[in-house]
Amino acid sequence: MESLSLIDAVMPDVVESRKQAFSKNTQVKAEASNTNGEVAAHAVDNHADSMEVDGAVDIPSNKATVLRGHESEVFICAWNPTNDLLASGSGDSTARIWNMNDNNIATSASQLVLRHCIQKGGTEVPSNKDVTSLDWVCDGTLLATGSYDGFARIWSIDGRLVNTLGQHKGPIFALKWNKRGNYILSAGVDKTTIIWDANTGSCTQQFAFHSAPALDVDWQSNNTFASCSTDQCIHVCRLGDLRPVKTFQGHTNEVNAIKWDPQGQLLASCSDDMTLKIWSMKSDQWVHDLQAHNKEIYTIKWSPTGPGTSNPNQNLILASASFDSTVRLWEVEQGRCLHTLTKHTEPVYSVAFSPDGKYIASGSFDKCVHIWNVQTGSLVHSYRGTGGIFEVCWNHRGDKVGASASDGSVVVLDLRK
């Protein structure tokens, strides 16, 4: 797949003609487009076929709620941090908020549709661009979305558009609230990252240090963040500074995702060069160069465990998800691979730890969501949906898993006994 160039991004007709809709990494699109022919066939398939995998309990259909409403792939989903509202973002140029609080069977009536519109000739028209990213502010009162139309938007919990943030020239690939909730950080195809004032919607500072599209960003503190890019570099930047505080170099292909550990001391990165690297602010060279996957690594997550977390007595673990169909769990002190989770048969796009750190969910283009025991590496639950899984996420209590799929479906798995 050719890389997305800036020309493609700013010329919508070129983008459309090449079917470049989403992605932090343009390969997602290649995978997604393969499912286009299947959408109609699966539209009536509300519940999946049963399957038994090595003693793991299949999640029964009465514990799986399939939410239909999106008209295109659903790339992302995220639970509200304080209650059971699930947000989803799609190629149909909408985000949706689904109310899954108890005693609320999610029907079309309980979905809020957040339409992403642009001004054309004095009227509002749908942007027809994918919603690529979304993030809840930590108190759960606001939702931020990033779109292929180049705008970030802030929405209230009842679906009202609160602010539109316009400064990027071309698609936004990632955005994140800081912990305090006063700034939003975004990464764009225009090679820049921007810190926005969440109250006013204005651009506080724009950072133009990358030489190619910025693919991911992650806050280290309330005013310091890291960014990664197809230029193979990682920059650590601070609000008010005109140069990066630190630059990490060592990847030999585009860097797809970066994440700070819970204490903000170690930064993990994953790349199309098939490696996972761990960096420290105390060193210019990587601390660990973890080479075990044999295809691109699409995403990584730290466990919510260890010092400074609500699970301080468990070891810190890093998970990596790859196009080689595996998930690997790493112990970071020695850089050892603890478990390789091998039940998926297609690229794995998403992993997420449960809030207590005891389980990890994975979602793959094989249409399966698997839930594993972190300590033993064994498969605990499985669910087979109707489309390739782009994202999995846990609610704040750790008893529901949300998953979004390529056929427009969003699924909520209820893990309560």
Side-chain angles (χ1 to χ4, degrees):
M1 190 79 181
E2 298 165 59
S3 284
L4 172 70
S5 75
L6 194 53
I7 307 297
D8 298 330
V10 296
M11 295 178 60
D13 50 339
V14 178
V15 179
E16 289 308 312
S17 70
R18 286 176 51 186
K19 289 292 182 225
Q20 285 287 11
F22 167 67
S23 168
K24 304 165 193 161
N25 175 339
T26 49
Q27 280 155 321
V28 172
K29 211 46 207 180
E31 300 286 344
S33 57
N34 297 343
T35 64
N36 286 350
E38 302 175 45
V39 174
H42 286 315
V44 291
D45 243 344
N46 246 14
H47 289 297
D49 340 325
S50 183
M51 62 173 187
E52 197 52 58
V53 192
D54 295 356
V57 180
D58 228 15
I59 292 172
S61 57
N62 68 343
K63 293 285 193 178
T65 306
V66 181
L67 307 172
R68 300 208 175 261
H70 280 298
E71 293 161 22
S72 185
E73 313 99 320
V74 189
F75 299 117
I76 38 174
C77 58
W79 289 99
N80 184 292
T82 62
N83 61 51
D84 282 356
L85 296 176
L86 180 64
S88 57
S90 166
D92 65 7
S93 77
T94 73
R96 292 171 197 238
I97 297 175
W98 310 84
N99 189 340
M100 298 302 295
N101 287 303
D102 279 345
N103 309 323
N104 193 336
I105 299 304
T107 60
S108 53
S110 70
Q111 60 175 301
L112 291 173
V113 182
L114 317 183
R115 298 190 191 281
H116 288 55
C117 295
I118 50 173
Q119 295 287 334
K120 234 183 194 166
T123 59
E124 290 212 332
V125 297
S127 74
N128 293 326
K129 295 285 193 264
D130 306 9
V131 178
T132 57
S133 42
L134 43 80
D135 193 36
W136 291 97
V137 70
C138 63
D139 69 1
T141 55
L142 296 168
L143 177 71
T145 60
S147 167
Y148 227 80
D149 67 11
F151 291 98
R153 294 170 175 83
I154 302 174
W155 309 81
S156 64
I157 204 161
D158 56 3
R160 203 167 35 81
L161 181 61
V162 176
N163 232 323
T164 301
L165 318 178
Q167 177 84 15
H168 279 294
K169 293 179 167 55
I172 292 171
F173 285 150
L175 94 173
K176 303 264 170 68
W177 290 88
N178 67 350
K179 274 206 175 64
R180 196 180 293 152
N182 59 330
Y183 291 129
I184 294 171
L185 174 61
S186 60
V189 79
D190 62 8
K191 312 176 192 175
T192 74
T193 54
I194 294 176
I195 291 179
W196 306 87
D197 182 316
N199 297 317
T200 64
S202 60
C203 166
T204 303
Q205 188 172 352
Q206 186 164 22
F207 303 82
F209 304 138
H210 287 293
S211 58
L215 299 179
D216 197 18
V217 282
D218 198 39
W219 290 101
Q220 181 192 27
S221 66
N222 278 309
N223 62 357
T224 306
F225 69 93
S227 62
C228 66
S229 163
T230 56
D231 68 7
Q232 307 173 14
C233 288
I234 298 162
H235 295 305
V236 181
C237 303
R238 187 183 296 125
L239 182 64
D241 286 11
L242 300 179
R243 297 297 315 148
V245 180
K246 202 163 187 69
T247 294
F248 294 125
Q249 288 180 293
H251 280 296
T252 56
N253 207 328
E254 53 191 64
V255 185
N256 294 319
I258 45 171
K259 294 280 183 304
W260 291 100
D261 78 349
Q263 290 193 291
Q265 292 178 355
L266 298 174
L267 181 69
S269 60
C270 65
S271 166
D272 280 2
D273 67 12
M274 303 186 277
T275 74
L276 173 68
K277 291 180 170 37
I278 297 175
W279 315 82
S280 163
M281 291 300 282
K282 298 173 185 156
S283 169
D284 290 338
Q285 180 69 335
W286 58 72
V287 181
H288 293 297
D289 180 20
L290 307 176
Q291 306 186 20
H293 287 291
N294 55 36
K295 281 195 178 166
E296 300 91 338
I297 306 173
Y298 188 66
T299 192
I300 45 179
K301 290 279 167 63
W302 292 96
S303 60
T305 54
T309 73
S310 49
N311 309 296
N313 300 324
Q314 294 163 249
N315 291 334
L316 180 62
I317 288 175
L318 182 64
S320 54
S322 169
F323 284 10
D324 68 9
S325 314
T326 71
V327 173
R328 285 178 178 266
L329 301 181
W330 305 85
E331 182 277 323
V332 286
E333 284 286 308
Q334 275 95 41
R336 254 177 341 117
C337 181
L338 298 171
H339 298 294
T340 306
L341 313 180
T342 57
K343 294 286 189 288
H344 286 297
T345 57
E346 295 280 341
V348 184
Y349 279 112
S350 182
V351 283
F353 283 95
S354 60
D356 63 8
K358 291 180 178 167
Y359 299 97
I360 187 168
S362 58
S364 160
F365 245 62
D366 63 9
K367 305 179 183 175
C368 291
V369 176
H370 290 324
I371 295 167
W372 317 76
N373 180 307
V374 170
Q375 198 171 5
T376 63
S378 58
L379 188 59
V380 185
H381 296 291
S382 278
Y383 173 82
R384 184 178 164 85
T386 53
I389 307 294
F390 275 119
E391 181 130 73
V392 290
C393 55
W394 294 81
N395 69 343
H396 67 109
R397 278 190 314 277
D399 59 17
K400 289 175 189 165
V401 168
S404 62
S406 61
D407 68 340
S409 63
V410 177
V411 183
V412 174
L413 307 176
D414 188 339
L415 303 178
R416 290 173 297 184
K417 294 284 183 285

